[in-house]
Amino acid sequence: MKRICFVLMIAISLLPQILYGARKGEVADTLTASRVFADLPISVLDLVDRSRRLDMLDYYAADSIAKIPNAMEGLSYLDTVTPDYLKVVLTPVTTLGVKVLPGKKGDVILTAYTIGDKDQAYDTDLRFYDSSYQEIDRKKFMKLATLDDFFDYPDKAVKELVARLVPFPTVLYEPEAGGSGMSAQLTVGQFMSADDYARIKQYLRPKLHYTWNGSKFNLEK
């Protein structure tokens, strides 16, 4: 009886690792967003350690959104979890999106770290990793949207106007939870004067869309 209880205790203690990530030295059979979130190196995600990430996943799996203390003495929680996408709210002004992309030479991991709130324009830093969490040059997978990509210029004067009014463009990138695409949105509007924004809004494309072809993201025209 004691032996059975001991075996059950061991099995329960290993359950988070079985569900969300391989133990150190083991190779994951299937790369999921939950597994990636659990196993991301501290160099990529230092606010929440692995043990607390596993707790967050356990609570989410039990239909409970747990706000877990982070390294900044704040609270972090999971917003969205699907097999290939996860979004975690790290602080009131920062989120991290994790996306597993099917690649022709193996899965590719995309992280989307976004800073912003009602007082700061949303801006996203995109990074790519292989299945061993080694970072890969972003240029291999996509070209970031430029200011010109967001506008339909009727003439040169409007292009010059936009460049003058938007000297520091900020962009929110959001990977799709239910697909392999990604959207991009220019976020300068709320921090420009109403008059200046009205002058350029009519030429602005609300959102751009990227499609993943197994090797890279292509911007739809």
Side-chain angles (χ1 to χ4, degrees):
M1 185 68 179
K2 290 182 178 180
R3 180 179 178 81
I4 294 174
C5 292
F6 176 75
V7 172
L8 285 173
M9 289 174 63
I10 294 296
I12 291 172
S13 68
L14 293 177
L15 184 59
Q17 294 174 330
I18 295 170
L19 291 175
Y20 305 120
R23 284 175 288 173
K24 188 175 181 180
E26 293 180 344
V27 177
D29 294 329
T30 303
L31 197 61
T32 65
S34 294
R35 186 185 295 275
V36 171
F37 174 65
D39 292 343
L40 280 174
I42 292 296
S43 59
V44 180
L45 177 55
D46 59 354
L47 278 182
V48 185
D49 62 32
R50 190 175 192 276
S51 177
R52 291 178 178 178
R53 296 179 211 171
L54 291 173
D55 287 342
M56 295 165 76
L57 289 166
D58 284 341
Y59 278 109
Y60 195 94
D63 295 324
S64 176
I65 305 298
K67 295 189 176 181
I68 301 296
N70 58 45
M72 293 182 63
E73 300 183 355
L75 296 174
S76 302
Y77 62 92
L78 291 174
D79 176 85
T80 306
V81 180
T82 71
D84 64 358
Y85 177 74
L86 179 149
K87 181 179 179 181
V88 56
V89 178
L90 297 172
T91 75
V93 296
T94 58
T95 64
L96 178 70
V98 174
K99 181 72 176 180
V100 178
L101 297 162
K104 295 179 179 178
K105 297 183 179 179
D107 290 334
V108 177
I109 299 166
L110 165 65
T111 62
Y113 183 79
T114 299
I115 299 176
D117 62 3
K118 63 182 180 63
D119 298 316
Q120 180 180 357
Y122 290 97
D123 200 23
T124 304
D125 177 42
L126 297 176
R127 302 201 178 187
F128 292 86
Y129 303 86
D130 63 21
S131 58
S132 298
Y133 305 104
Q134 298 299 308
E135 187 169 1
I136 307 172
D137 190 346
R138 183 176 57 218
K139 294 178 182 178
K140 180 178 179 180
F141 297 108
M142 69 177 296
K143 178 183 178 182
L144 292 179
T146 66
L147 186 61
D148 291 347
D149 291 324
F150 287 100
F151 289 89
D152 292 312
Y153 302 123
D155 52 47
K156 184 177 179 181
V158 171
K159 182 175 181 178
E160 292 174 347
L161 173 67
V162 169
R164 179 165 56 83
L165 295 180
V166 189
F168 305 108
T170 50
V171 180
L172 171 65
Y173 289 91
E174 294 184 298
E176 292 177 350
S180 58
M182 180 168 57
S183 65
Q185 182 177 4
L186 191 67
T187 60
V188 298
Q190 70 185 101
F191 300 102
M192 297 176 65
S193 72
D195 289 341
D196 283 345
Y197 188 58
R199 296 172 70 186
I200 65 173
K201 185 179 179 180
Q202 60 183 311
Y203 311 111
L204 176 64
R205 298 173 181 171
K207 278 189 178 182
L208 304 180
H209 190 263
Y210 286 84
T211 55
W212 174 257
N213 67 5
S215 300
K216 63 180 180 179
F217 277 110
N218 291 311
L219 179 60
E220 294 181 359
K221 298 298 184 180

